[in-house]
Amino acid sequence: MQVKKLLVLIGALTLLAACDVGSAGKSTATAAATPAKPVEIALTEDELKIANGNSNAVAQILVRKAILSEMKANPFTPEEIKVLDSAKENLEIEFYLDKEAQKTINVSGLDVEVLKVYESNKDKLENSDPEVVMPQLKQALIQQKVGAEKVNLINGLIAKYNLNDILKKYVPQATEVPASTGTDGAGTAAPAAETSAAPQESNAATPPATTETKPAETTEEKKN
């Protein structure tokens, strides 16, 4: 009789334990399904000063902070970090070349040149507002000069580091390193040979390139 009572008690305890495990599993699943409460986003005093009451500026900062919050909650994989590092390096290379190229350009001295371009294309720009087109022509001319100067900078680096000779060590059939080599996944520096931005006016003519560039001399050419 006591044995029977003991078996009944054990069965009851087992059933109770099973119910507890089931309840715990449901609680865990519910917790996993419930998204974490997002971090509260607020602007700092400095950000408010920068926005200066502009609703678009405030909205952009808020969206930016929301994206950064999501990025922090969902970190990048090691492979994604490598891609980002490469992209950052390429951006730094372009930033450096642009910065150095702009040092050689006298922006204030381009007005006469811009006027000549405008006069040469006056028939194409007769329906355009000069006050709108002239700044666009000037910006396009600046970009062309920056692009040409970037080529000059790269040609200088090719000569300085003897890159033509080094290239032939790795690729004997190669002739020379072109200054127009593009930036690729390996992080090779290389802006386009010319950079020109056409003015936004559909009838506005892009000024012709004013700087002629030549590829770096090969070692053989230097010897001759």
Side-chain angles (χ1 to χ4, degrees):
M1 189 70 178
Q2 290 182 353
V3 173
K4 187 176 180 180
K5 289 182 178 179
L6 182 60
L7 292 174
V8 172
L9 179 60
I10 292 173
L13 290 174
T14 302
L15 181 61
L16 181 61
C19 290
D20 290 341
V21 171
S23 299
K26 289 180 180 179
S27 299
T28 302
T30 302
T34 303
K37 185 178 179 181
V39 177
E40 184 177 351
I41 295 175
L43 269 62
T44 64
E45 291 185 5
D46 289 340
E47 289 169 338
L48 286 171
K49 288 180 180 178
I50 293 172
N52 194 29
N54 186 308
S55 61
N56 288 332
V58 172
Q60 289 176 0
I61 296 173
L62 291 175
V63 171
R64 179 184 175 88
K65 286 198 163 192
I67 295 172
L68 290 172
S69 178
E70 288 297 301
M71 287 166 58
K72 186 176 181 180
N74 301 278
F76 296 114
T77 65
E79 292 75 16
E80 291 170 337
I81 291 175
K82 288 181 180 179
V83 174
L84 286 171
D85 287 342
S86 178
K88 179 176 179 290
E89 185 178 71
N90 290 337
L91 181 62
E92 289 175 338
I93 288 171
E94 286 301 310
F95 183 87
Y96 170 79
L97 290 173
D98 282 332
K99 176 176 69 74
E100 293 300 308
Q102 289 173 13
K103 290 179 181 178
T104 66
I105 298 173
N106 181 10
V107 176
S108 61
L110 293 178
D111 293 338
V112 174
E113 199 168 344
V114 171
L115 184 58
K116 288 181 180 179
V117 173
Y118 178 79
E119 293 294 335
S120 299
N121 295 275
K122 206 167 185 178
D123 56 332
K124 301 175 183 177
L125 305 172
E126 58 183 357
N127 296 324
S128 303
D129 184 355
E131 292 185 1
V132 175
V133 175
M134 293 292 278
Q136 292 177 349
L137 288 174
K138 187 173 184 177
Q139 185 59 37
L141 187 60
I142 291 172
Q143 289 180 352
Q144 281 191 345
K145 287 183 176 293
V146 167
E149 186 56 33
K150 285 164 71 174
V151 173
N152 290 336
L153 286 169
I154 294 175
N155 277 331
L157 294 175
I158 291 172
K160 179 179 180 179
Y161 290 93
N162 296 317
L163 299 187
N164 288 326
D165 293 340
I166 297 173
L167 173 65
K168 290 175 184 177
K169 289 181 181 179
Y170 295 106
V171 189
Q173 69 273 23
T175 56
E176 61 183 21
V177 178
S180 58
T181 302
T183 302
D184 57 22
T188 304
E194 284 189 30
T195 304
S196 59
Q200 295 177 358
E201 283 281 330
S202 58
N203 294 328
T206 302
T210 56
T211 306
E212 183 179 347
T213 59
K214 298 180 180 179
E217 292 182 345
T218 62
T219 305
E220 289 77 3
E221 289 173 339
K222 289 180 180 179
K223 289 179 179 179
N224 294 333

